[in-house]
Structure formats: C-alpha cells, structure tokens
Amino acid sequence: MFKAIADVLRSIGGAIATVVTLPFRAVARLFGGASDNAHGRH
C-alpha cells in the first residue's frame, strides 16, 4: 500500500516539477536572449 502511495506521489511530483520548471526555462531563455542582445554578443 505504501509503495502504491509512493508511486502516486512520485508521479505527481514529476508532473508538478515539469509544470513548474517549464515557465522558468522559458523566462531564462527570454532573459538569456535579452542579455545577449544587450551585450551585443553574436
């Protein structure tokens, strides 16, 4: 029973981690591109 609960929590945690990290990765990409353009690097 505990193994089933652990599996469910693990899958939920993975889904939450994916949803949470996606916006941060998008923001990091945006800021990365903005900083590159601001510094004038190619």
Side-chain angles (χ1 to χ4, degrees):
M1 178 177 169
F2 285 113
K3 186 179 184 299
I5 294 174
D7 289 340
V8 171
L9 288 177
R10 191 176 298 118
S11 62
I12 292 174
I16 291 174
T18 303
V19 172
V20 168
T21 54
L22 277 175
F24 282 113
R25 271 188 277 181
V27 170
R29 188 176 300 164
L30 285 174
F31 278 113
S35 64
D36 287 344
N37 291 335
H39 292 302
R41 290 183 302 168
H42 296 292

